[in-house]
Amino acid sequence: MTDPGLPPNWEIRHSKSRKIPYYFNPLLPESRWEPPPGTDSDKLKAYMATYHSDSHIAADPTPSMEGRIRASHLLIKHSGSRRPSSWKEAEITRSKEEAIEILRGHEARIKDGGAKLGDLAVTESDCSSARKRGDLGFFGQGDMQKEFEDAAFALKPGEVSGIVETASGVHLIERLE
């Protein structure tokens, strides 16, 4: 069974911080902890029992590092971000264009050697990973938003991406490992 019983365009993802599944619709973009309206509860229960139960997770307690990379990022959110708030601002009102301009300034400082991405992330990133210098840890294919993942996997260790747009906002990504 691969049908989780969700309405069209909804998918189940796994929160790295809370270590539990959540529901995401990339077209809206919207994420939520509870199933979206229109979900077939019986199909969802069967799907979750098969693919997200403790017994399923326990089968592979230590994921292989093969195919996984480690990256850090600097995120600037805007009013159209899926969650337009951060640890720095309760309500983010800047436009997407303003967010891109801010990120371009950071990108220029990194490229000219005036700053490192991790140093800037501590004070400038809208992601809670800022306290870890933007470090997101190790992740594999399917763990992150597609645009982010595609850009991160295209980098070699030590390289920094150009501006990457996702439902979360705009990012600079540095591949660490």
Side-chain angles (χ1 to χ4, degrees), residues 22-69:
Y22 67 97
Y23 307 92
F24 180 68
N25 184 326
L27 298 182
L28 293 179
E30 180 184 346
S31 61
R32 55 189 302 146
W33 295 109
E34 62 283 338
T39 298
D40 180 330
S41 298
D42 292 332
K43 284 184 180 179
L44 181 61
K45 285 178 189 175
Y47 180 88
M48 296 301 275
T50 303
Y51 298 104
H52 290 276
S53 69
D54 288 340
S55 62
H56 174 73
I57 294 166
D60 187 13
T62 312
S64 167
M65 296 313 278
E66 187 173 326
R68 298 170 64 84
I69 64 169

Side-chain angles (χ1 to χ4, degrees), residues 72-76 86-89 103 106 109-110 115-135 172 174:
S72 62
H73 75 136
L74 193 163
L75 168 66
I76 304 296
S86 75
W87 64 275
K88 298 187 327 178
E89 297 176 72
L103 206 55
H106 298 320
R109 288 184 62 201
I110 292 166
K116 294 185 184 292
L117 186 140
D119 295 335
L120 288 173
V122 171
T123 58
E124 305 303 319
S125 183
D126 285 318
C127 182
S128 59
S129 68
R131 66 180 170 263
K132 298 182 289 183
R133 300 173 46 83
D135 192 341
L172 291 175
E174 179 178 10

Side-chain angles (χ1 to χ4, degrees), residues 12-23 31 33 52 57 63-65 67-73 82-83 127-129 131-132 134-145 148-149 152-153 173 176-177:
I12 298 172
R13 295 197 174 173
H14 201 80
S15 167
K16 292 179 74 175
S17 58
R18 293 191 181 187
K19 311 253 188 274
I20 58 173
Y22 67 97
Y23 307 92
S31 61
W33 295 109
H52 290 276
I57 294 166
S64 167
M65 296 313 278
R68 298 170 64 84
I69 64 169
R70 183 172 159 228
S72 62
H73 75 136
R82 69 177 176 177
R83 284 192 204 105
C127 182
S128 59
S129 68
R131 66 180 170 263
K132 298 182 289 183
D135 192 341
L136 297 168
F138 285 92
F139 57 90
Q141 299 285 347
D143 290 340
M144 301 288 183
Q145 293 175 48
F148 186 97
E149 191 175 278
F153 274 87
I173 305 165
L176 302 174
E177 296 180 45

